[in-house]
Amino acid sequence: AKLAGKNCYRFYSRAIDQAVEQRVQIEQELRGAWARGEMSLAYQPVFRLSDRALVGAEALLRWQHPEQGVISPSVFIEVAEQSGIIDTLGPQVLRVACRDAMRWRAARDHDAEPLFVSVNVSPRQLRAGDLPATVAACLEESGLSARQLHVELTETTVISDEAQVTALLARLRLMGVKIWLDDFGTGFSGLSHLRRVPVDGVKIDRSFVADIPRDPDDLALTTAIIAMAHSLNIVVVAEGVEKAEQSSVLRDRGCDLAQGYWYGHPVDIDGFLALLHAQRAA
Ligand code: C2E
Ligand code: CA
Ligand code: CA
Ligand code: CA
């Protein structure tokens, strides 16, 4: 039994070693990936449910690894965050997103509603560095209006350090930047936080949208989030809408905006510009 235990330990220990090794490797390759031109942004369109108008896009980071192909941020964002690589990566993402959003303008009719760009910001970006200063610099450099920039933060980021985060968010909002709470509903923070934390929108996590309308609990929860958010003048975005049926149920429940594969996959800047030209022609 003792021997088996030892083997068992060895087995697990090897598995852990491999995981650590993989992490170290990702970290090494991630450092400098932006400078080597391996990283870019993809844009996923966001639509208004009431009239199906395109209103903006979420910027999503992509890593074109030389051997492994495109790697999802769900694999490397955590490493970027823990290693501090995000300290340089984060501001680059903001800069490019603002610059790209200015290019969208030229592709739209003059009287068309300006599109927003929504950028994901990690917890470390909020704690370290001066996010409002970085944002101000990116806006100035690009010429983008603050009203067209949205910042997405996860619910857990916001509650972990409420007082400090609230002050930062207030500064951003004063500039005119909109704040969205990402993955809403997964953090168990309860709805009470929404009264204290200054946010403009909540993004209902796709795990709740996935089983709509089949799962009555998910539908009830989503409906409750919409009602509560609206009573506080907060916009509601549904993520991960993959079927027409989900889209119509969400619209009927009063959800404001939606994004997901049913509306459009994330595409690179050229793909997004092509989408804008197609809209204009239509
Ligand atoms: P997120 O903010 O929740 O982004 C939405 C994710 O859902 C994206 O994955 C998107 O490609 C995917 N998605 C969109 N529509 C659908 C759908 O209909 N069905 C399904 N199943 N998935 C859908 P992605 O691009 O792999 O990003 C993963 C996460 O990485 C993001 O989740 C976000 O938390 C993080 N991330 C992405 N870009 C950045 C960034 O620039 N900075 C930071 N800090 N985090 C980022
Ligand atoms: Ca997001
Ligand atoms: Ca999300
Ligand atoms: Ca479910």
Side-chain angles (χ1 to χ4, degrees):
K2 209 171 178 187
L3 198 66
K6 208 170 171 186
N7 281 338
C8 204
Y9 168 75
R10 241 186 240 141
F11 174 75
Y12 282 119
S13 137
R14 206 183 307 135
I16 291 167
D17 281 351
Q18 276 170 1
V20 169
E21 219 170 274
Q22 200 192 2
R23 220 188 157 75
V24 169
Q25 200 189 339
I26 290 181
E27 187 181 323
Q28 276 170 357
E29 295 176 338
L30 192 60
R31 220 173 272 285
W34 180 279
R36 286 192 302 272
E38 293 167 8
M39 300 193 119
S40 61
L41 294 182
Y43 295 99
Q44 183 170 41
V46 179
F47 288 84
R48 188 163 48 218
L49 282 160
S50 62
D51 61 357
R52 293 171 165 239
L54 175 70
V55 289
E58 177 176 6
L60 295 159
L61 194 54
R62 292 289 175 267
W63 182 11
Q64 179 74 49
H65 190 278
E67 287 125 39
Q68 291 173 46
V70 179
I71 306 180
S72 163
S74 49
V75 177
F76 64 80
I77 279 294
E78 210 189 302
V79 179
E81 168 96 18
Q82 286 173 0
S83 59
I85 296 172
I86 199 80
D87 296 349
T88 49
L89 205 51
Q92 300 284 23
V93 167
L94 260 167
R95 281 179 76 201
V96 173
C98 291
R99 203 195 295 154
D100 283 350
M102 280 305 279
R103 295 181 63 193
W104 303 346
R105 273 193 173 181
R108 302 261 290 167
D109 288 325
H110 291 297
D111 55 352
E113 215 176 309
L115 302 176
F116 64 77
V117 65
S118 198
V119 178
N120 293 285
V121 165
S122 74
R124 187 179 165 124
Q125 280 177 275
L126 267 192
R127 282 191 309 268
D130 190 344
L131 185 67
T134 306
V135 165
C138 292
L139 290 173
E140 172 152 12
E141 189 192 290
S142 63
L144 188 75
S145 154
R147 269 170 296 134
Q148 284 168 257
L149 179 64
H150 295 189
V151 160
E152 297 191 12
L153 304 160
T154 61
E155 208 183 340
T156 33
T157 309
V158 171
I159 16 172
S160 63
D161 200 351
E162 205 179 279
Q164 203 210 339
V165 169
T166 301
L168 267 173
L169 299 187
R171 277 173 68 198
L172 285 170
R173 283 184 101 208
L174 214 57
M175 293 165 57
V177 174
K178 293 202 162 42
I179 312 292
W180 282 3
L181 271 196
D182 207 354
D183 305 341
F184 193 75
T186 58
F188 304 105
S189 68
L191 305 173
S192 63
H193 281 276
L194 281 188
R195 273 189 300 129
R196 293 198 300 269
V197 181
V199 299
D200 301 282
V202 294
K203 299 189 78 171
I204 299 177
D205 190 68
R206 65 171 185 270
S207 60
F208 299 111
V209 174
D211 299 331
I212 286 178
R214 251 182 310 112
D215 187 329
D217 293 341
D218 288 347
L219 187 58
L221 185 94
T222 300
T223 308
I225 291 174
I226 294 168
M228 183 271 327
H230 283 173
S231 74
L232 297 168
N233 276 317
I234 292 169
V235 171
V236 184
V237 189
E239 332 181 274
V241 175
E242 296 180 351
K243 299 179 206 125
E245 197 184 18
Q246 291 165 338
S247 157
S248 56
V249 168
L250 287 161
R251 190 195 52 223
D252 293 347
R253 304 281 161 145
C255 183
D256 304 290
L257 310 178
Q259 66 185 92
Y261 296 161
W262 192 69
Y263 287 98
H265 285 255
V267 289
D268 64 14
I269 176 70
D270 292 332
F272 194 70
L273 288 169
L275 190 130
L276 295 183
H277 282 296
Q279 281 235 330
R280 200 171 173 177

